[in-house]
Amino acid sequence: MDFQTLASHAKRTQGRHILDLFKDAGRAMAFSTHADGLLFDYSKTNLDRDALEFLLAEAERAGLAEKRDAMFSGAKINETEGRAVLHTALRAAFGTVVEVDGENVIPGVRATRDRMAEFANAVRDGSYIGQGGKITDVVNIGIGGSDLGPVMAVKALAPYCNGPRCHFISNIDGAHLADVLKGLNPETTLVIVASKTFTTIETMTNAASAKAWMGALVADPGAQFAALSTSAEKTADFGIDASRVFGFEDWVGGRYSMWGPIGLSLMIAIGPENFADFLAGARAMDDHFRKADLRQNLPVLLALVGMWHHQGLGYATRAVLPYEQRLERLPAYLQQLEMESNGKRVSMDGADLQSVSGPVVWGEPGTNGQHAFYQLIHQGTAIVPCEFMVGKQGFEADLSHHHHLLVANCLAQSEALMKGRSLAEATEIMAAKGLTGDELDRQARHRVFPGNRPSTTLIYDKLTPFVLGQIVALYEHRVFVEGVLLGINSYDQWGVELGKELALALGPVLSGEEVPDGKDPSTRMLVQHLQS
């Protein structure tokens, strides 16, 4: 991307109020777009037609369409690892042909999904039973992409969860395992261990402890475990029969993997038919991303707006603010998706980036966030672009007045961020309360809202499995577009490796088996304090 020209466009907007752009009566319609029941509005940003045209031209110049097609076709676009990037194949339509090394991968994807559905139905209808009867609880043990996706989706689709209760363990902290397992019956609990290699230290430590917990009451604990792994040997050694092992290929990255076997806990919770709808929603977004003109393409526009704010205007963070309590884990899920994918410092060829890479992503569901951090968003010195999302309908018909208030808050926040409140307006309000003189001025200044703070809004009909699939795929493709324009590899994650290596080396030191030779003075001091 031509970051110098982008900066020039951004500099041109300094001092201009977003409200001024609405002198163009058609702005709200021109700076919003629809796709399969979704409405994406980005008119409450300082992005104007000239800057948008520049960004769209840069996307074309970067070969976005060609690189998008290469990803969907099975080309090895993950160049540092020599891998294809085919999470989209996990939700592709039956009959699609996607080849990796000359082999169509879709039949294998379909066969694995059919096995998953058969097993999920057996758990749900009682054909598969624990050693104490029908399975009542499912515990998914994983971390990162093997946890964040399923736990987010199970919470999001709670109205559709009519199978066994689902629980999730990820943290190596023993408190997480203890708190989840407390109160569960080992004889009616199914444990799913999610680790592609079956070597992830946090996951396997938790799995071993869960097996010991189950073994205290169950004659054959391995019979109540399933594995999401490619290691037939290690899963067999753990005591898990091959019929309960579901593997996936190296062309599926962890944070993109819940469309396949990593989504088994979700499939058990909501049933294979609803899981198929979840995949269908993602597939609809895939089709939109592939076929829609860039000017009406939701993932492209979402990405360009994000880059305008971060790389252009220098806003360091973005807040994801779903006005949907059941999406409470979506900000954390998107945090990993964005920051692990695009938190890079070198381009594809290994050269230092000429711009900042991905932003810090964070957020909470509304209206909770309004009583936590919106103070900073409205009146703080840092500008935080906000990404609101809300459904037209909720599920609780008898509580529809709650939903109306929820939507009102969502729309009001984006309006307030843009409009703000001037000193004159604040002074008038405080004067009406009887204040005068210096005290009037002082109190009024505390009530000024600078405004001119950007936000986007995504509106969907209702949070169904189909819609959730659309939303997640939308953000997946947004990450891809940003990566193309930044010239980076969005599908490796070498930044997580060094800490893992050092942690493994510190284990024997903390247990007293080794001395902390070669460690820096601070680490040696901390080790000594922990051992004292």
Side-chain angles (χ1 to χ4, degrees), residues 63-74 77 85 88 286-294 297 300 477 480-481 484:
L64 174 61
E66 294 80 8
K67 291 176 180 177
R68 173 197 62 200
D69 293 344
M71 176 181 71
F72 277 94
S73 73
I77 65 168
V85 175
T88 54
D286 292 344
D287 291 343
H288 169 78
F289 180 47
R290 298 180 75 175
K291 298 173 183 177
D293 182 89
L294 297 188
N297 196 302
V300 172
H477 294 320
F480 171 80
V481 175
V484 168

Side-chain angles (χ1 to χ4, degrees), residues 41-361:
D41 171 35
Y42 58 105
S43 62
K44 290 190 181 78
T45 70
N46 228 317
L47 187 65
D48 57 28
R49 293 178 187 272
D50 289 343
L52 179 58
E53 287 302 318
F54 164 75
L55 288 165
L56 288 165
E58 286 295 289
E60 292 179 353
R61 190 169 70 87
L64 174 61
E66 294 80 8
K67 291 176 180 177
R68 173 197 62 200
D69 293 344
M71 176 181 71
F72 277 94
S73 73
K76 295 182 180 180
I77 65 168
N78 179 352
E79 295 180 10
T80 59
E81 297 180 294
R83 296 175 179 174
V85 175
L86 280 177
H87 48 281
T88 54
L90 297 177
R91 61 222 191 195
F94 184 69
T96 304
V97 176
V98 180
E99 292 188 349
V100 177
D101 295 327
E103 179 184 354
N104 181 14
V105 302
I106 301 301
V109 167
R110 188 73 179 209
T112 299
R113 192 190 310 159
D114 288 345
R115 288 183 58 231
M116 289 170 58
E118 182 180 2
F119 181 64
N121 279 329
V123 172
R124 288 166 58 84
D125 67 21
S127 303
Y128 169 87
I129 61 172
Q131 290 160 74
K134 185 176 180 180
I135 296 297
T136 58
D137 295 271
V138 173
V139 176
N140 186 91
I141 299 179
I143 197 165
S146 298
D147 169 76
L148 281 167
V151 72
M152 179 276 294
V154 167
K155 285 179 176 290
L157 299 178
Y160 299 88
C161 290
N162 54 10
R165 296 181 294 266
C166 281
H167 315 269
F168 296 87
I169 297 171
S170 57
N171 203 320
I172 192 63
D173 186 343
H176 198 183
L177 181 114
D179 288 349
V180 170
L181 297 184
K182 182 171 57 180
L184 299 187
N185 179 359
E187 295 181 310
T188 59
T189 297
L190 169 69
V191 179
I192 301 173
V193 183
S195 172
K196 184 182 290 187
T197 61
F198 230 58
T199 59
T200 309
I201 186 65
E202 299 95 335
T203 298
M204 297 318 300
T205 300
N206 280 327
S209 295
K211 188 177 181 182
W213 164 81
M214 187 172 284
L217 285 177
V218 173
D220 182 9
Q224 285 179 221
F225 274 72
L228 314 178
S229 175
T230 57
S231 179
E233 182 179 352
K234 288 185 172 63
T235 54
D237 289 345
F238 195 87
I240 304 174
D241 188 83
S243 64
R244 299 190 305 281
V245 178
F246 305 89
F248 49 103
E249 303 297 331
D250 65 5
W251 35 257
V252 179
R255 57 194 175 279
Y256 297 91
S257 61
M258 69 169 159
W259 315 103
I262 292 298
L264 180 61
S265 56
L266 175 63
M267 183 185 278
I268 293 172
I270 66 176
E273 290 186 4
N274 284 321
F275 189 83
D277 286 344
F278 174 59
L279 299 181
R283 184 164 60 250
M285 184 55 65
D286 292 344
D287 291 343
H288 169 78
F289 180 47
R290 298 180 75 175
K291 298 173 183 177
D293 182 89
L294 297 188
R295 286 166 174 75
Q296 299 297 323
N297 196 302
L298 265 69
V300 172
L301 293 171
L302 184 61
L304 296 184
V305 171
M307 297 194 73
W308 168 249
H309 288 147
H310 187 48
Q311 280 76 20
L313 293 166
Y315 303 149
T317 80
R318 74 168 61 118
V320 178
L321 306 170
Y323 274 66
E324 180 96 46
Q325 177 60 29
R326 292 183 176 117
L327 287 177
E328 63 177 310
R329 293 296 289 164
L330 182 66
Y333 174 78
L334 297 180
Q335 186 178 71
Q336 185 203 24
L337 184 68
E338 177 87 30
M339 295 174 68
E340 193 166 84
S341 295
N342 288 346
K344 309 294 170 61
R345 59 175 296 277
V346 296
S347 59
M348 281 286 200
D349 61 6
D352 289 346
L353 288 181
Q354 299 304 303
S355 172
V356 293
S357 55
V360 174
V361 177

